[in-house]
Amino acid sequence: MRADLDIIQDWIPAGSRVLDLGCGNGELLAWLHEHKQVFGYGLEIDAENIAACVSKGVNVIEQDLDKGLGNFASDSFDVVVMTQSLQALHFPDKVLAEMLRVGKTCIITFPNFAHWRCRWYLASKGRMPVSDFLPYTWYNTPNIHFCTFEDFENLCHAQGAQVLNRLAVDRAHRHSFASRILPNLLGEIGIYRVSRPGVADAQIAT
Amino acid sequence: MPTVFAPDSVGLVTPQVLHFAEPLALACGRSLADYQLTYETYGQLNAAGSNAVLICHALSGHHHAAGYHSVDERKPGWWDSCIGPGKPLDTNRFFVVSLNNLGGCNGSTGPASLNPATGKPFGADFPVMTVEDWVHSQARLADALGIGQWAAVVGGSLGGMQALQWTISYPERVRHCLAIASAPKLSAQNIAFNEVARQAILTDPEFHGGDFLDQGVIPKRGLMLARMVGHITYLSDDSMGEKFGRGLKSEKLNYDFHSVEFQVESYLRYQGEEFSGRFDANTYLLMTKALDYFDPAAAHDGDLAKTLAVAQADFCVMSFTTDWRFSPARSREIVDALTAARKNVCYLEIDAPQGHDAFLMPIPRYLQAFSSYMNRIAL
């Protein structure tokens, strides 16, 4: 399984109900179903990914995240997951609010734009960072809303969400000593577990 | 005129007929004393009886869904793009059953059949059928064929409604339900289109209150108009524009009202003409009523999730972007109810320019998803 998914699965209790936003080829849901008796749905818009989900027997629903989660009732999932999609949304703030409404806890991963490589690229070249990891030029990138760990945590704060866990990892999803000490500078990808205020700790214990 | 059939065709098929002597109670309060169902099958039922798939047809459909009745037949069955060896409904794997619904006009008992009580065609006396009635009659067909549980019940449009109804009426007898280009109930606009079609037939002087066969005539003009209206709603604005545009049949405009001038007029008249020669007007009325009446959630105060709570099947729902007769929003209502009821469901919104008719077309993404879903069904 993809390295970040392997970290995430540890935060998802067995037997829980999961909504995976931008579920890709359904890898996480298929694994969770098989190993942790998780019942879930994945939302996806890419045709090839949807086909892969259908083949795997993953419950996939073709739905654009930017149009909200209005079709899902409040509190209807134990965990709402969104990996590597936050920065590609038109309305990341609204989607975060929707995730917090629909799920008891939310797991979100995104690339950190304050990572030292991005900072160095921008500072030294004066141009938008392009790397193997984020290979797009500014005008044709799907990633239209980059943020940093600080930015994301500010948004959580503004929405009254509590950050339950935070892991800053490198592109191979290793969490080193360095990324623990200076996450916003040395962490390349953030893996966050957040919840709405007032969700009792007992309900979100893993 | 294929004399050698394509390797992915089911080839020559022969319709079969089964008589049912036990009366069938209907939603309208009446019952059919005895009746016959005409059906076709493709593929082989396995020893465990676990590979049977039921095809439910749409408004003007019938039992002939795949293959050819003779080597001279010009076109194969109406869903030949999806049924055959290696196709989504793979006949190497599945035993596919396709019937003509009760009230139809292609071999099953319907308004044009002789009423044994009078020796004359039923005509106006044939009872109004509902989707539920059809599902009950299909369950009896399943019994007769030794099929305890369908691996899948599949249908497009009105056929999708029957597939949904199966999961509600006989939850233990359906493992998978595929509802394509369908809806949980008709909208006012949809009922309105049906009403226009019905009025075209009912006001045709040759209709004779439904007993036109006794008079030796058919309400051809009414049926033709009904089909023309219907046909417009099955196509998208784009597909009509692409197919016909403002193209003319003749060199110039005639400045009169009787000439067939635009290509689209000619096409619609041809469709209406062809249809009125092969379809029974009473069956058309009956099919549109079955569509209008379908509303399974009505039994639960409009709560579709509650209605579908009994279902044991997994679901696959598909819609097409330019379908405005059964728009993607209508399919999403089904999906939302299914997720609220915590059912397994896949939903695809296929980008296709063909409008409602897309469900009959060999659209690559559609066929691929359809195949993928069917292939994962355990037998």
Side-chain angles (χ1 to χ4, degrees), chain A residues 27 30 38 40 56 61 69 77 81-82 88 102 105 135 169 177 184 194 204:
Chain A
E27 196 179 1
V38 159
K56 282 195 184 82
I61 294 166
L69 304 174
F77 291 91
V81 178
M82 185 167 68
V102 166
T105 61
V169 296
F177 176 72
N184 202 36
V194 301
I204 53 184

Side-chain angles (χ1 to χ4, degrees), chain A residues 7-140:
Chain A
I7 295 171
I8 289 167
Q9 66 83 13
D10 215 29
W11 290 353
I12 298 174
S16 56
R17 289 174 45 76
V18 173
L19 181 65
D20 188 351
L21 309 183
C23 66
N25 64 11
E27 196 179 1
L28 178 67
L29 285 173
W31 191 92
L32 288 170
H33 177 70
E34 195 184 333
H35 294 92
K36 291 185 125 175
Q37 298 76 50
V38 159
F39 180 81
Y41 298 104
L43 307 189
E44 183 53 62
I45 48 170
D46 179 75
E48 269 181 45
N49 277 335
I50 291 169
C53 289
V54 171
S55 297
K56 282 195 184 82
V58 164
N59 288 325
V60 65
I61 294 166
E62 185 157 348
Q63 183 170 333
D64 183 354
L65 303 182
D66 274 318
K67 292 186 178 153
L69 304 174
N71 52 326
F72 293 100
S74 298
D75 244 350
S76 52
F77 291 91
D78 298 308
V79 187
V80 182
V81 178
M82 185 167 68
T83 58
Q84 302 292 334
S85 296
L86 184 74
Q87 74 284 355
L89 297 173
H90 281 93
F91 308 105
D93 54 335
K94 289 181 181 151
V95 173
L96 178 64
E98 278 287 84
M99 290 176 74
L100 291 164
R101 176 183 67 81
V102 166
K104 293 189 178 80
T105 61
C106 304
I107 298 172
I108 298 159
T109 79
F110 59 90
N112 176 25
F113 208 65
H115 182 252
W116 69 267
R117 263 200 209 91
C118 289
R119 298 189 195 201
W120 173 249
Y121 198 106
L122 187 58
S124 67
K125 301 195 186 200
R127 299 181 62 186
M128 287 298 280
V130 176
S131 66
D132 295 342
F133 179 55
L134 295 167
Y136 305 98
T137 46
W138 65 273
Y139 49 84
N140 71 353

Side-chain angles (χ1 to χ4, degrees), chain B residues 135-355:
Chain B
V135 166
H136 293 315
S137 70
Q138 291 161 1
R140 288 195 181 174
L141 177 64
D143 294 340
L145 296 174
I147 297 159
Q149 183 190 60
W150 299 102
V153 180
V154 185
S157 190
L158 175 58
M161 292 174 166
Q162 293 159 61
L164 279 181
Q165 185 64 49
W166 258 97
T167 70
I168 300 163
S169 296
Y170 297 97
E172 69 293 342
R173 297 189 74 171
V174 191
R175 294 209 301 281
H176 294 269
C177 166
L178 289 88
I180 305 165
S182 196
K185 60 176 182 242
L186 289 197
S187 64
Q189 188 193 50
N190 258 311
I191 295 171
F193 278 122
N194 283 344
E195 175 58 7
V196 172
R198 281 192 294 269
Q199 284 302 321
I201 293 168
L202 294 166
T203 57
D204 186 320
E206 309 269 54
F207 182 64
H208 296 287
D211 294 323
F212 48 87
L213 289 178
D214 288 345
Q215 312 286 324
V217 292
I218 54 167
K220 198 172 165 60
R221 295 216 61 79
L223 199 48
M224 189 172 154
L225 274 175
R227 182 60 168 177
M228 285 166 78
V229 169
H231 211 91
I232 295 167
T233 70
Y234 304 148
L235 303 177
S236 69
D237 192 17
D238 282 353
S239 63
M240 266 195 168
E242 190 165 313
K243 211 164 175 178
F244 311 108
R246 292 180 51 86
L248 292 175
K249 290 291 284 180
S250 53
E251 294 282 298
K252 55 179 180 50
L253 300 177
N254 294 304
Y255 296 93
D256 67 22
F257 300 119
H258 58 269
S259 308
V260 181
E261 300 184 298
F262 289 93
Q263 300 272 9
V264 68
E265 293 175 311
S266 161
Y267 171 79
L268 279 179
R269 285 191 200 198
Y270 170 79
Q271 289 293 333
E273 185 79 28
E274 185 270 340
F275 187 73
S276 63
R278 70 174 164 89
F279 210 81
D280 178 69
N282 284 313
T283 291
Y284 201 90
L285 294 175
L286 182 152
M287 294 284 171
T288 60
K289 272 291 169 193
L291 271 165
D292 292 1
Y293 285 175
F294 181 70
D295 183 9
H300 290 91
D301 294 327
D303 189 336
L304 189 62
K306 216 181 254 181
T307 310
L308 287 163
V310 295
Q312 293 174 22
D314 291 352
F315 292 79
C316 178
V317 179
M318 292 191 264
S319 68
F320 300 91
T321 48
T322 56
D323 183 351
W324 56 283
R325 185 82 195 244
F326 287 80
S327 70
R330 309 310 313 283
S331 283
R332 282 198 299 267
E333 287 173 36
I334 300 172
V335 174
D336 290 347
L338 289 168
T339 55
R342 305 186 173 192
K343 303 297 173 189
N344 286 316
V345 55
C346 287
Y347 172 61
L348 284 86
E349 207 166 293
I350 313 281
D351 196 15
Q354 295 96 336

